[in-house]
Amino acid sequence: MTTEVLDACISPKIAIARAAELLRAGEVVGFPTETVYGLGACVFNEGAVRKIYTAKGRPQDNPLIVHIAETHDVSRVARDIPDEFYRLAESFFPGALTIILRRHSDVPAIVSAGLDTIAVRMPAHDIALGIITATGEPLVAPSANRSGKPSPTSAQHVLDDLNGKIAAVVDGGKCSVGIESTIVNILGETPMIVRPGVITQEEIERVLGKNVAIYSGQETTQPIAPGMKYRHYAPQATVKLMASWSEILEEVHKNPNPKRMILSNEKAPPELQSQVYLLSPTTIYSDFRLADAENFREILILCSDTVQNNVALMNRISKAASGT
Ligand code: AMP
Ligand code: MG
């Protein structure tokens, strides 16, 4: 299969119309959102949804997120929708918040990997919203990477992983957020964040007017977010979390290894400046991809106070470090 590249920076209308045509015909298409690139398929087309699992090499028990363009479309994919959903939607839609609801019986079970729940979000991206609207139905769209690789934040990342395996990718430039959405389950007595993202626990608590828990990530026999049981992406390089520049300098002197990436959001001492890349949620996945492509042996990440206070960024960094 040849993967069409549809340039939405030059001609958004043509790209959106072609993407919608392919999606309606049961194909899968990569497209930009503000968080990361998604791999879209029509939610009610079981065969198309199956193609997503195949193209990504995704385990069958890892559920997908449904993307809508209008809040009222939630009733096409979910049932018994609690009032909390509408309060969160009013504050955060469109945006980087995914909400877990009860699955509508019209939605094929494969979408939720057999669960009776469904994850729903409205992306804050004109191209993504245009494609959903033009297709005329909600789209499932997991991150458009091969399973086990970092989420893609550019059309080139999607091609690097899926060229020849998907019908098309819409190029809408780089993602502005760069990490996946916050996921909150509002079905229990206490709402629970099952994946941290740029929308924080405090922001959700303020809107709901009650305490919100954060899932600790501890393995249980009944994982709350099934995807969590899979070993997350980890770069080939050894990832080390560092507390200070002096610790980094010590490491560098101990082992003067030229194939090293240092990530920091603080100004580096002069002798390290050439090895330092800016640490931010927007660039973390492209830096991990670069480290793999360049065969870096070691990635040192300076966990400054601001980095440690960024729950979503720390979550992704810790996962990358725990695999090595
Ligand atoms: P992504 O590849 O970024 O789209 O991630 C999808 C992730 O959303 C999955 O790995 C799960 O952790 C989570 N998710 C999707 N649907 C559900 C659901 N019904 N219940 C709990 N978590 C879900
Ligand atoms: Mg993913």
Side-chain angles (χ1 to χ4, degrees), residues 11-305:
S11 42
K13 275 193 184 143
I14 296 172
I16 288 170
R18 177 65 181 150
E21 181 181 37
L22 289 166
L23 287 161
R24 279 197 303 270
E27 295 298 338
V28 301
V29 175
F31 62 82
T33 80
E34 83 280 31
T35 57
V36 302
Y37 270 69
L39 185 59
C42 285
V43 67
F44 302 119
N45 184 334
E46 195 170 331
V49 176
R50 216 169 278 286
K51 285 183 187 171
I52 286 189
Y53 283 91
T54 309
K56 282 180 60 80
R58 185 175 177 103
Q60 293 273 346
D61 60 350
N62 192 354
L64 309 176
I65 295 173
V66 179
H67 290 62
I68 56 175
E70 309 268 3
T71 298
H72 62 76
D73 273 340
V74 69
S75 59
R76 299 176 69 183
V77 295
R79 62 182 162 85
D80 307 329
I81 300 159
D83 181 50
E84 278 90 347
F85 169 83
Y86 294 98
R87 304 221 317 263
L88 291 173
E90 184 151 352
S91 294
F92 300 116
F93 280 13
L97 181 70
T98 297
I99 304 174
I100 311 256
L101 298 167
R102 291 194 173 77
R103 178 165 57 91
H104 194 295
S105 56
D106 287 354
V107 175
I110 184 179
V111 169
S112 296
L115 299 169
D116 67 353
T117 53
I118 185 91
V120 181
R121 152 171 136 81
M122 186 191 292
H125 195 292
D126 288 346
I127 305 295
L129 292 171
I131 292 171
I132 300 165
T133 303
T135 306
E137 64 178 65
L139 300 177
V140 289
S143 50
N145 52 300
R146 280 285 293 178
S147 214
K149 298 267 278 167
S151 291
T153 55
S154 72
Q156 187 56 52
H157 293 162
V158 179
L159 289 170
D160 290 344
D161 283 11
L162 301 174
N163 197 5
K165 295 191 168 77
I166 59 176
V169 59
V170 178
D171 187 348
K174 290 195 171 130
C175 301
S176 58
V177 172
I179 57 172
E180 307 86 347
S181 57
T182 304
I183 304 181
V184 64
N185 186 326
I186 56 169
L187 298 175
E189 184 64 31
T190 304
M192 164 111 61
I193 291 174
V194 296
R195 179 173 74 188
V198 287
I199 293 176
T200 63
Q201 178 184 25
E202 293 74 24
E203 288 175 289
I204 297 171
E205 285 180 335
R206 215 172 298 137
V207 169
L208 294 181
K210 59 170 158 178
N211 286 341
V212 171
I214 294 199
Y215 180 58
S216 67
Q218 297 303 316
E219 287 297 331
T220 61
T221 45
Q222 282 268 292
I224 289 171
M228 288 179 167
K229 77 176 188 201
Y230 294 104
R231 186 169 164 276
H232 207 260
Y233 165 77
Q236 291 152 29
T238 307
V239 179
K240 294 184 183 164
L241 306 189
M242 313 302 281
S244 63
W245 285 115
S246 55
E247 219 176 277
I248 292 179
L249 280 165
E250 203 178 303
E251 179 76 19
V252 168
H253 292 147
K254 203 163 62 191
N255 174 18
N257 178 350
K259 289 245 159 204
R260 173 187 287 122
M261 175 184 269
I262 300 172
L263 293 171
S264 168
N265 68 343
E266 286 182 354
K267 197 167 159 34
E271 65 173 293
L272 294 177
Q273 265 162 23
S274 66
Q275 299 175 67
V276 175
Y277 295 69
L278 178 69
L279 174 60
S280 81
T282 322
T283 50
I284 186 87
Y285 286 139
S286 52
D287 284 338
F288 284 161
R289 281 177 178 264
L290 178 71
D292 277 350
E294 300 278 320
N295 271 313
F296 283 111
R297 305 313 324 153
E298 188 172 83
I299 303 174
L300 305 180
I301 304 182
L302 180 68
C303 297
S304 63
D305 288 346

